[in-house]
Short mmCIF file of all heavy atoms in Angstrom, two decimals:
data_model
loop_
_atom_site.label_atom_id
_atom_site.label_comp_id
_atom_site.label_asym_id
_atom_site.label_seq_id
_atom_site.Cartn_x
_atom_site.Cartn_y
_atom_site.Cartn_z
N THR A 2 224.05 -36.89 316.02
CA THR A 2 224.99 -36.87 314.91
C THR A 2 226.18 -37.78 315.12
O THR A 2 226.78 -38.25 314.16
CB THR A 2 225.48 -35.44 314.66
OG1 THR A 2 226.03 -34.91 315.87
CG2 THR A 2 224.33 -34.55 314.21
N ASP A 3 226.57 -38.06 316.36
CA ASP A 3 227.73 -38.91 316.60
C ASP A 3 227.35 -40.38 316.72
O ASP A 3 228.20 -41.23 317.04
CB ASP A 3 228.49 -38.45 317.85
CG ASP A 3 227.63 -38.49 319.12
OD1 ASP A 3 226.44 -38.85 319.01
OD2 ASP A 3 228.14 -38.16 320.19
N VAL A 32 213.69 -36.45 321.81
CA VAL A 32 215.01 -36.79 322.35
C VAL A 32 215.29 -38.29 322.33
O VAL A 32 216.37 -38.73 322.74
CB VAL A 32 215.15 -36.28 323.80
CG1 VAL A 32 215.02 -34.77 323.84
CG2 VAL A 32 214.15 -36.93 324.74
N THR A 47 200.49 -55.81 332.69
CA THR A 47 200.38 -54.57 331.91
C THR A 47 199.89 -54.94 330.51
O THR A 47 199.89 -56.11 330.12
CB THR A 47 201.74 -53.86 331.79
OG1 THR A 47 202.67 -54.71 331.10
CG2 THR A 47 202.31 -53.50 333.16
N SER A 63 210.49 -45.67 316.63
CA SER A 63 211.10 -47.00 316.60
C SER A 63 210.91 -47.63 317.97
O SER A 63 210.96 -46.95 318.99
CB SER A 63 212.59 -46.87 316.28
OG SER A 63 213.26 -48.11 316.48
N VAL A 68 210.37 -58.87 326.27
CA VAL A 68 209.62 -60.12 326.42
C VAL A 68 210.33 -60.95 327.50
O VAL A 68 211.53 -61.19 327.39
CB VAL A 68 209.55 -60.91 325.10
CG1 VAL A 68 208.87 -62.26 325.32
CG2 VAL A 68 208.80 -60.12 324.03
N ARG A 71 209.64 -65.56 332.07
CA ARG A 71 208.88 -65.95 333.26
C ARG A 71 207.45 -66.38 332.95
O ARG A 71 206.93 -67.33 333.51
CB ARG A 71 208.86 -64.77 334.23
CG ARG A 71 208.03 -64.95 335.49
CD ARG A 71 207.76 -63.60 336.14
NE ARG A 71 207.01 -62.73 335.22
CZ ARG A 71 207.08 -61.41 335.22
NH1 ARG A 71 207.88 -60.79 336.06
NH2 ARG A 71 206.36 -60.70 334.36
N ARG A 73 206.01 -67.35 329.98
CA ARG A 73 205.72 -67.97 328.70
C ARG A 73 206.15 -69.43 328.63
O ARG A 73 207.21 -69.80 329.11
CB ARG A 73 206.42 -67.20 327.57
CG ARG A 73 205.77 -65.87 327.30
CD ARG A 73 206.64 -64.99 326.44
NE ARG A 73 205.92 -63.77 326.10
CZ ARG A 73 205.81 -62.73 326.92
NH1 ARG A 73 206.39 -62.76 328.11
NH2 ARG A 73 205.13 -61.67 326.55
N LEU A 75 206.56 -72.41 325.37
CA LEU A 75 207.04 -72.31 324.00
C LEU A 75 205.94 -71.85 323.04
O LEU A 75 206.18 -71.01 322.16
CB LEU A 75 207.61 -73.66 323.55
CG LEU A 75 208.19 -73.72 322.13
CD1 LEU A 75 209.31 -72.68 321.96
CD2 LEU A 75 208.71 -75.12 321.83
N LEU A 76 204.75 -72.38 323.20
CA LEU A 76 203.66 -72.00 322.30
C LEU A 76 203.33 -70.52 322.44
O LEU A 76 203.12 -69.81 321.45
CB LEU A 76 202.41 -72.85 322.59
CG LEU A 76 201.21 -72.64 321.67
CD1 LEU A 76 201.57 -72.97 320.23
CD2 LEU A 76 200.03 -73.48 322.13
N LYS A 100 210.20 -61.44 340.02
CA LYS A 100 209.29 -62.34 340.72
C LYS A 100 207.86 -61.84 340.54
O LYS A 100 207.58 -60.67 340.79
CB LYS A 100 209.65 -62.39 342.21
CG LYS A 100 208.75 -63.30 343.03
CD LYS A 100 209.17 -63.31 344.48
CE LYS A 100 208.19 -64.11 345.33
NZ LYS A 100 208.06 -65.52 344.90
N VAL A 103 201.53 -62.34 341.30
CA VAL A 103 200.52 -63.40 341.35
C VAL A 103 201.00 -64.56 340.49
O VAL A 103 201.74 -64.37 339.53
CB VAL A 103 199.14 -62.91 340.84
CG1 VAL A 103 198.57 -61.85 341.77
CG2 VAL A 103 199.23 -62.37 339.43
N THR A 127 206.83 -69.94 307.65
CA THR A 127 205.88 -68.96 308.18
C THR A 127 206.42 -67.54 308.08
O THR A 127 205.67 -66.58 307.88
CB THR A 127 205.57 -69.28 309.66
OG1 THR A 127 205.11 -70.63 309.75
CG2 THR A 127 204.51 -68.33 310.21
N GLY A 137 218.00 -58.46 321.82
CA GLY A 137 218.87 -57.92 322.85
C GLY A 137 218.82 -58.74 324.12
O GLY A 137 217.85 -59.46 324.39
N ALA A 140 222.70 -57.43 330.98
CA ALA A 140 223.90 -57.86 331.70
C ALA A 140 224.00 -57.09 333.00
O ALA A 140 223.67 -55.90 333.05
CB ALA A 140 225.15 -57.64 330.85
N ALA A 153 223.54 -62.38 320.67
CA ALA A 153 222.51 -61.35 320.56
C ALA A 153 222.98 -60.25 319.60
O ALA A 153 224.09 -60.29 319.08
CB ALA A 153 222.19 -60.78 321.94
N PHE A 157 221.93 -54.52 326.91
CA PHE A 157 221.55 -53.47 327.86
C PHE A 157 222.22 -53.80 329.19
O PHE A 157 221.95 -54.86 329.78
CB PHE A 157 220.04 -53.44 328.07
CG PHE A 157 219.28 -52.69 327.00
CD1 PHE A 157 219.76 -52.57 325.71
CD2 PHE A 157 218.06 -52.12 327.29
CE1 PHE A 157 219.06 -51.89 324.74
CE2 PHE A 157 217.33 -51.44 326.32
CZ PHE A 157 217.84 -51.31 325.04
N VAL A 158 223.08 -52.90 329.68
CA VAL A 158 223.72 -53.11 330.97
C VAL A 158 222.84 -52.52 332.06
O VAL A 158 222.27 -51.44 331.91
CB VAL A 158 225.13 -52.48 331.00
CG1 VAL A 158 225.80 -52.75 332.35
CG2 VAL A 158 225.99 -53.03 329.88
N GLN A 159 222.75 -53.25 333.16
CA GLN A 159 221.93 -52.88 334.30
C GLN A 159 222.09 -51.40 334.68
O GLN A 159 223.17 -50.83 334.58
CB GLN A 159 222.33 -53.75 335.50
CG GLN A 159 221.60 -53.49 336.78
CD GLN A 159 222.19 -54.30 337.93
OE1 GLN A 159 223.40 -54.43 338.06
NE2 GLN A 159 221.33 -54.85 338.76
N VAL A 184 220.53 -45.88 332.56
CA VAL A 184 220.47 -44.64 333.34
C VAL A 184 219.04 -44.45 333.82
O VAL A 184 218.11 -44.41 333.01
CB VAL A 184 220.91 -43.43 332.49
CG1 VAL A 184 220.73 -42.13 333.28
CG2 VAL A 184 222.35 -43.58 332.02
N PRO A 217 213.89 -32.50 344.24
CA PRO A 217 213.60 -33.59 343.29
C PRO A 217 214.19 -33.36 341.91
O PRO A 217 214.50 -34.32 341.20
CB PRO A 217 212.07 -33.61 343.25
CG PRO A 217 211.64 -33.04 344.56
CD PRO A 217 212.67 -32.00 344.89
N GLU A 226 223.36 -35.34 333.21
CA GLU A 226 224.82 -35.22 333.30
C GLU A 226 225.49 -36.57 333.05
O GLU A 226 226.53 -36.65 332.37
CB GLU A 226 225.22 -34.69 334.68
CG GLU A 226 224.84 -33.23 334.91
CD GLU A 226 224.91 -32.84 336.38
OE1 GLU A 226 225.34 -33.68 337.20
OE2 GLU A 226 224.52 -31.70 336.70
N GLU A 233 230.56 -39.00 326.21
CA GLU A 233 231.92 -38.51 326.00
C GLU A 233 232.98 -39.60 326.12
O GLU A 233 234.08 -39.46 325.59
CB GLU A 233 232.21 -37.38 326.99
CG GLU A 233 231.42 -36.11 326.69
CD GLU A 233 231.56 -35.05 327.76
OE1 GLU A 233 232.21 -35.34 328.81
OE2 GLU A 233 231.03 -33.93 327.58
N GLY A 235 232.88 -42.46 324.66
CA GLY A 235 233.00 -43.14 323.38
C GLY A 235 232.95 -44.65 323.50
O GLY A 235 233.15 -45.37 322.52
N ALA A 236 232.62 -45.16 324.70
CA ALA A 236 232.65 -46.61 324.94
C ALA A 236 231.30 -47.28 324.77
O ALA A 236 231.21 -48.51 324.85
CB ALA A 236 233.17 -46.88 326.35
N VAL A 243 215.67 -44.59 331.76
CA VAL A 243 214.41 -44.82 332.47
C VAL A 243 214.03 -43.52 333.18
O VAL A 243 214.53 -43.24 334.28
CB VAL A 243 214.54 -45.97 333.48
CG1 VAL A 243 213.17 -46.33 334.06
CG2 VAL A 243 215.19 -47.19 332.85
N ARG A 249 208.71 -35.64 331.49
CA ARG A 249 208.56 -34.30 330.92
C ARG A 249 209.81 -33.46 331.18
O ARG A 249 210.33 -32.80 330.28
CB ARG A 249 207.34 -33.60 331.52
CG ARG A 249 206.02 -34.31 331.25
CD ARG A 249 204.88 -33.61 331.98
NE ARG A 249 203.63 -34.38 331.93
CZ ARG A 249 203.34 -35.37 332.77
NH1 ARG A 249 204.21 -35.71 333.72
NH2 ARG A 249 202.19 -36.02 332.68
#
Side-chain angles (χ1 to χ4, degrees):
T2 55
D3 60 359
V32 299
T47 62
S63 169
V68 175
R71 176 197 61 209
R73 288 166 174 80
L75 182 57
L76 184 61
K100 180 179 174 59
V103 294
T127 305
F157 278 27
V158 182
Q159 179 186 41
V184 175
E226 290 165 5
E233 290 172 356
V243 188
R249 299 175 190 84

